Amino acid sequence: MLTMSEKGKKMPESPIRKLVPFSEKAKKKGINVLHLNIGQPDILPPKNVIQKINNFKIDQITYSHSAGIEEYRRKLAIYYQKIQKHISYQDILITTGGSEALNTVLNCICDPGDEIIIPDPYYANYNGFSNGANIKIKAITCLIDDGFRLPEINTFEKKITKKTKAILICNPGNPTGALYTSKELQELAKIIKKYNLFLIADEVYREFVYDNQQHYSTLNLTTIQKNTILIDSTSKRYSMCGARIGCIVSKNKDLIKTALKFSQARLSPPIFGQLAAMEALNTKNLYFKKVIQEYTKRRNTLVNGLNKIPGIKCPMPKGAFYCIAELPVKNSETFCQWLLEKFSFKGTTVMLAPASGFYSKENGTQNQVRIAYVLDINRLELAIKIIQEGLEIYKD
Ligand SMILES: Cc1ncc(COP(=O)(O)O)c(C=O)c1O
């Protein structure tokens, strides 16, 4: 029978792309759309990476080792040794983006029906990956009024059952911009140790931390080294989304061995991406300094601007390049669609992501949006004006 699997039917649509048909229609009408819905940075990748790509001298397009090019893994190990000096290249597997790293890890550690605990709201594709592996997500609500900080440790403990395999955190967080402190993470480590769970830490935004704060990586949690699995990616940190390179880092040899079998089944991560990502490791600190300055300016412009609009509440994010804003509307999805279908200001409108798509199903939050500050200050200022003008005439 030509029917789709239950899993296929249940596969969630991306909340980021759901409104795309409406933005396409707006563009066809000649309206300029400012995309604040998607985490595709307009920041340029490091110049050395672009030069490397433009100067590739290649006569063969081969597979690489399934674990990734060894030279790249060895260089990456040196990068991670700045965080945790015992990381070796054998603790690292190169993947096709952080996405494949997450997918592989969940399949390595979970059987159908197993559970993972995730602070809510969370990166929407965790739903898709969990659905693919038949895993149940147990969400713990984080509150906008607390700046989406890590929930109290006892709330994690209450969610743990016999089926629980892991706690999954994103730090700094997409969609919230929350940054977890070393104290919070050390508390979390105690629970991980007590119940012998995995801690999956998605740190794909690691470099983007503002206000001179320090990022505390889970690689520093040495008391739970065997439990910890780091997910990383070059997509955001070097603005190299299309290179499709990420990695899994873990001191757990069984995990790496199992993940390698999944990696062998898909043969190899992309070869050009790996060569570009290897070059990215030569990027000077000045690049990150400038990028962080730019994101800080954008964050301040956006969040301060939004908070001046009557009825909007938006906590200041501490990392990544997203914020969640509560709007004075009943249903933010209807408002986002209205902005695209019915509204423009001086020929321009904005595309925002309704935040409901980043919350678990049980969570009824309907009046928030996620905004990615991936556009320059001028366009962000215009976007704020559009949201303000729109809200003035919008009727729920
Ligand atoms: C939190 C988080 N994790 C993982 C990913 C996956 O990114 P990629 O597959 O491009 O590395 C993303 C992308 O937006 C993300 O926001």
Side-chain angles (χ1 to χ4, degrees):
M1 275 216 291
L2 299 180
T3 52
M4 294 300 116
S5 64
E6 280 313 304
K7 197 189 267 197
K9 286 181 205 153
K10 279 196 207 135
M11 191 69 186
E13 252 188 299
S14 161
I16 308 166
R17 291 167 205 266
K18 218 169 164 183
L19 296 172
V20 166
F22 300 104
S23 79
E24 281 166 353
K25 268 196 207 149
K27 284 177 199 167
K28 277 198 189 123
K29 282 196 278 181
I31 293 168
N32 177 32
V33 179
L34 299 174
H35 283 273
L36 299 175
N37 58 312
I38 191 157
Q40 164 91 30
D42 67 338
I43 302 270
L44 293 176
K47 281 207 178 85
N48 51 313
V49 173
I50 295 298
Q51 264 166 15
K52 177 83 185 177
I53 294 172
N54 288 332
N55 290 327
F56 273 158
K57 289 193 182 64
I58 281 171
D59 48 21
Q60 268 188 318
I61 304 170
T62 56
Y63 293 122
S64 75
H65 191 291
S66 298
I69 299 171
E70 188 174 317
E71 188 188 353
Y72 177 39
R73 289 165 70 214
R74 285 184 182 273
K75 285 191 171 160
L76 257 186
I78 297 170
Y79 166 85
Y80 289 114
Q81 281 158 12
K82 287 183 203 135
I83 304 170
Q84 217 280 53
K85 60 179 190 291
H86 300 299
I87 297 294
S88 106
Y89 81 99
Q90 286 155 318
D91 306 322
I92 302 172
L93 279 188
I94 309 303
T95 54
T96 306
S99 306
E100 191 191 45
L102 282 158
N103 220 351
T104 301
V105 161
L106 292 177
N107 277 297
C108 285
I109 65 172
C110 291
D111 284 312
D114 282 347
E115 297 170 359
I116 55 172
I117 301 174
I118 314 183
D120 195 13
Y122 52 84
Y123 175 50
N125 283 332
Y126 295 162
N127 285 327
F129 301 138
S130 305
N131 180 58
N134 281 320
I135 297 166
K136 190 156 185 248
I137 293 181
K138 296 286 231 37
I140 301 185
T141 306
C142 303
L143 300 173
I144 194 165
D145 289 330
D146 289 340
F148 297 106
R149 69 172 172 74
L150 197 68
E152 295 297 334
I153 293 308
N154 63 353
T155 54
F156 281 97
E157 218 163 355
K158 281 187 201 146
K159 294 274 177 188
I160 295 173
T161 70
K162 283 198 181 104
K163 292 269 179 197
T164 309
K165 287 306 294 268
I167 295 175
L168 166 55
I169 56 167
C170 182
N171 183 34
N174 173 13
T176 62
L179 179 71
Y180 301 146
T181 63
S182 60
K183 195 163 169 272
E184 284 170 328
L185 291 168
Q186 276 157 10
E187 286 299 308
L188 193 60
K190 286 185 197 157
I191 296 289
I192 293 286
K193 202 174 167 75
K194 182 169 166 194
Y195 293 91
N196 205 17
L197 303 174
F198 285 102
L199 175 61
I200 309 170
D202 181 339
E203 296 187 4
V204 305
Y205 296 93
R206 179 180 319 100
E207 256 91 15
F208 305 130
V209 169
Y210 311 117
D211 308 324
N212 297 320
Q213 305 209 52
Q214 290 295 313
H215 178 254
Y216 189 82
S217 171
T218 39
L219 291 181
N220 294 125
L221 298 170
T222 45
T223 53
I224 52 161
Q225 260 184 8
K226 293 267 171 346
N227 308 60
T228 304
I229 307 168
L230 177 80
I231 304 296
D232 215 339
S233 169
T234 59
S235 293
K236 316 288 167 162
R237 291 173 27 228
Y238 303 100
S239 281
M240 286 173 63
C241 299
R244 307 307 306 130
I245 297 297
C247 67
I248 300 167
V249 187
S250 181
K251 288 300 260 179
N252 186 316
K253 289 202 176 357
D254 270 352
L255 183 272
I256 294 290
K257 208 169 120 194
T258 311
L260 181 59
K261 290 191 279 180
F262 282 94
S263 302
Q264 285 166 347
R266 66 77 166 106
L267 304 179
S268 149
I271 190 85
F272 298 125
Q274 288 186 80
L275 296 173
M278 185 148 65
E279 176 58 39
L281 289 170
N282 298 330
T283 304
K284 300 267 180 302
N285 272 343
L286 187 63
Y287 172 81
F288 293 108
K289 218 174 142 192
K290 283 192 183 152
V291 173
I292 289 165
Q293 267 169 5
E294 177 62 24
Y295 279 133
T296 308
K297 269 197 277 171
R298 291 175 180 197
R299 177 198 67 159
N300 294 348
T301 303
L302 177 70
V303 176
N304 294 334
L306 287 174
N307 280 318
K308 282 190 193 126
I309 301 174
I312 292 194
K313 180 160 55 180
C314 180
M316 187 61 87
K318 299 192 170 105
F321 40 67
Y322 307 96
C323 65
I324 293 227
E326 189 176 288
L327 305 183
V329 298
K330 282 200 191 90
N331 184 309
S332 64
E333 187 167 332
T334 319
F335 176 66
C336 292
Q337 188 174 328
W338 177 85
L339 282 173
L340 294 167
E341 271 193 309
K342 305 263 166 65
F343 185 74
S344 66
F345 174 75
K346 295 190 178 163
T348 305
T349 192
V350 287
M351 186 165 177
L352 310 173
S356 51
F358 295 89
Y359 279 99
S360 62
K361 277 204 205 81
E362 304 81 64
N363 195 310
T365 308
Q366 293 296 336
N367 61 348
Q368 299 177 1
V369 285
R370 187 199 71 166
I371 307 182
Y373 37 99
V374 288
L375 299 181
D376 60 43
I377 300 280
N378 289 341
R379 283 183 293 172
L380 281 178
E381 280 171 346
L382 177 57
I384 296 164
K385 184 78 185 144
I386 292 168
I387 295 169
Q388 181 178 14
E389 295 282 330
L391 281 172
E392 273 172 25
I393 60 162
Y394 178 73
K395 302 241 173 334
D396 266 316

